[in-house]
Amino acid sequence: MKTDQIIHLSMTKERAAIALMLIVTSLMLNAREVIDLNRDWRFHRGDSKMWQAPDADDGDWEVINVPHNITSEADDDGKFGAVGIAEADGFCRYNIV
């Protein structure tokens, strides 16, 4: 094999290796996980410092999907619901399941 053929073959291998690396990199960048954050939230009216803990028990909270309108959640004393969001008064908490 002549020297110029060896150089050409070597350059072809380098180009093929670069092309393969680009393809693999492209596939790795496009391989991503899509997480739907609109589902499986927990909702509770009120506020408590104990709910701030990462291991707080929210098992009895209502499971909802977002977007969620707090004015649709009527409280016994009417703080949420009938008055509309502009006049809603009080706290509520959302946790992701």
Side-chain angles (χ1 to χ4, degrees):
M1 197 178 265
K2 295 182 182 176
T3 305
D4 60 339
Q5 289 176 329
I6 293 173
I7 292 172
H8 179 69
L9 182 60
S10 176
M11 289 179 66
T12 303
K13 286 182 181 179
E14 287 176 7
R15 287 182 183 165
I18 291 171
L20 181 60
M21 287 181 2
L22 289 174
I23 291 170
V24 169
T25 302
S26 174
L27 290 173
M28 287 173 59
L29 290 174
N30 289 326
R32 60 185 172 185
E33 181 180 359
V34 176
I35 300 172
D36 183 3
L37 294 177
N38 293 330
R39 299 180 186 275
D40 300 326
W41 285 84
R42 295 205 186 261
F43 172 79
H44 189 69
R45 286 182 302 279
D47 195 21
S48 172
K49 289 194 183 240
M50 67 181 203
W51 296 341
Q52 296 174 9
D55 60 343
D57 182 17
D58 60 1
D60 62 338
W61 293 15
E62 179 183 0
V63 177
I64 54 111
N65 295 328
V66 294
H68 178 253
N69 185 348
I70 63 169
T71 61
S72 65
E73 301 292 330
D75 214 356
D76 290 340
D77 60 3
K79 286 188 176 180
F80 294 104
V83 295
I85 191 132
E87 298 178 35
D89 185 20
F91 292 95
C92 64
R93 183 169 289 268
Y94 291 89
N95 286 353
I96 190 82
V97 175

